Amino acid sequence: MFYTDGKLQFPVRVDSPDPQFARALQQAIGGVEGEIRVAMQYFFQAFGARGNPKFRDLLMNTAAEELGHIEMLATAVALNLEGAPVSVKEEVAGDPVASAVLGGLNMKNLLSAGLSAMPVDSDGVPFDMSHIYASGNIAADMAANVAAESTGRVLATRLFNLTNDPGMKQMLSYLIARDTMHQNQWMAALEELGGPTKVFPIPNSFPQEQELQEFSYAYLGFQQDGSEPAPGRWSQGPSIDGKGNFKTVVPQPMGQKPVLGPAKPDSGAQAEQL
């Protein structure tokens, strides 16, 4: 069950409306790094969460918060568009193509949404849910969430540096702070699940003796001259999960040359392929 009280999670104020910045903000709504992505990701992870119910609560609470972020950003987009200088609006009326290029206005915001936000990215491409990761494995999902919040925070900091509007900077400063918390809470969840030595490799329910263990901790180098790659933490010493030791291997081909059977009749292949 979800409720709304009609109030924004955090104040949204636009001091100097800017249609170009409204377009940039659309990336934070409907881009692959945006709030629709994380809200839906956390919801669907929660819907399929099994085991200790506190992880489902964590996901649901954060998903609900992200819906509030969408509302904030959509309000910011609308305020930046509706308060745009008259000269920009006149350009739109007189020459839509020139306005789209010079004024930075995404024409979908005008033509399809009446100067309001849309579930699209900064180029007007609709968010299609292809970046929602909900595996049913709580540790894999938490690791995916760290990455999602990291790219979201990168985007928010870029937007912060794109604007001089004090109201927009204040809103983005809040969103950046929440990204900081979310990165930390997902890492804390992984720690509560046991940390690297118990969580990894994911899934930890699969017996490692059934994998080809000589390759479990081998860093493979594919330099053309056959030399070893530059060493790093990932190429030598104890593995992060504590279950092996990294080593560097310059591999030789172990498989055969692939030989496929003939094409099937009536498959559209050439006669020479049959």
Side-chain angles (χ1 to χ4, degrees), residues 17 81-93:
L81 290 173
E82 72 181 27
V86 173
S87 59
V88 173
K89 294 179 179 177
E90 289 174 346
E91 287 178 8
V92 172

Side-chain angles (χ1 to χ4, degrees), residues 130-155:
S130 62
H131 290 272
I132 302 304
Y133 304 122
S135 68
N137 179 297
I138 191 66
D141 287 348
M142 294 299 164
N145 294 348
V146 174
E149 291 289 345
S150 300
T151 54
R153 192 172 189 273
V154 168
L155 174 61

Side-chain angles (χ1 to χ4, degrees):
M1 185 71 73
F2 300 96
Y3 302 92
T4 179
D5 61 7
K7 298 178 182 178
L8 294 173
Q9 188 179 127
F10 187 83
V12 176
R13 186 182 85 251
V14 176
D15 298 314
S16 301
D18 180 353
Q20 189 168 10
F21 192 62
R23 179 171 183 168
L25 285 173
Q26 279 288 167
Q27 191 69 16
I29 295 175
V32 295
E33 319 92 332
E35 302 289 357
I36 293 177
R37 182 266 178 96
V38 289
M40 292 299 102
Q41 180 157 307
Y42 304 157
F43 272 132
F44 278 89
Q45 288 177 359
F47 297 152
R50 302 177 190 276
N52 194 320
K54 68 181 177 182
F55 292 106
R56 184 181 188 277
D57 289 346
L58 172 63
L59 289 162
M60 290 295 281
N61 278 320
T62 311
E65 177 184 353
E66 302 294 6
L67 290 181
H69 294 177
I70 298 170
E71 184 182 22
M72 289 166 55
L73 287 162
T75 302
V77 167
L79 291 175
N80 272 286
L81 290 173
E82 72 181 27
V86 173
S87 59
V88 173
K89 294 179 179 177
E90 289 174 346
E91 287 178 8
V92 172
D95 189 348
V97 174
S99 112
V101 175
L102 300 176
L105 180 66
N106 188 327
M107 295 302 289
K108 280 191 174 183
N109 291 115
L110 170 67
L111 300 174
S112 299
L115 297 178
S116 299
M118 298 183 68
V120 301
D121 67 12
S122 57
D123 290 326
V125 179
F127 186 73
D128 66 0
M129 300 292 180
S130 62
H131 290 272
I132 302 304
Y133 304 122
S135 68
N137 179 297
I138 191 66
D141 287 348
M142 294 299 164
N145 294 348
V146 174
E149 291 289 345
S150 300
T151 54
R153 192 172 189 273
V154 168
L155 174 61
T157 59
R158 288 172 176 164
L159 289 168
F160 183 91
N161 292 324
L162 272 179
T163 182
N164 292 317
D165 186 283
M168 290 292 88
K169 279 190 174 293
Q170 182 186 42
M171 179 194 74
L172 288 164
S173 180
Y174 172 78
L175 293 175
I176 291 167
R178 296 310 299 157
D179 287 338
T180 297
M181 171 58 189
H182 294 161
Q183 287 181 39
N184 278 275
Q185 75 181 39
W186 304 134
M187 291 294 289
L190 283 168
E191 184 177 284
E192 183 140 332
L193 287 164
T197 59
K198 291 188 177 179
V199 166
F200 298 109
I202 298 170
N204 61 5
S205 56
F206 183 83
Q208 278 198 271
E209 57 268 20
Q210 293 187 30
E211 63 186 76
L212 202 55
Q213 289 180 288
E214 64 181 288
F215 297 102
S216 295
Y217 301 100
Y219 171 50
L220 304 182
F222 291 91
Q223 280 66 25
Q224 188 177 27
D225 61 5
S227 62
E228 287 195 4
R233 175 64 183 89
W234 51 87
S235 64
Q236 55 193 353
S239 61
I240 300 301
D241 62 14
K243 299 178 177 66
N245 287 287
F246 292 129
K247 62 181 179 180
T248 299
V249 175
V250 178
Q252 296 297 317
M254 293 179 289
Q256 73 282 12
K257 287 187 176 181
V259 178
L260 305 181
K264 301 225 178 255
D266 301 322
S267 64
Q270 290 294 93
E272 293 80 4
Q273 294 177 271
L274 302 176

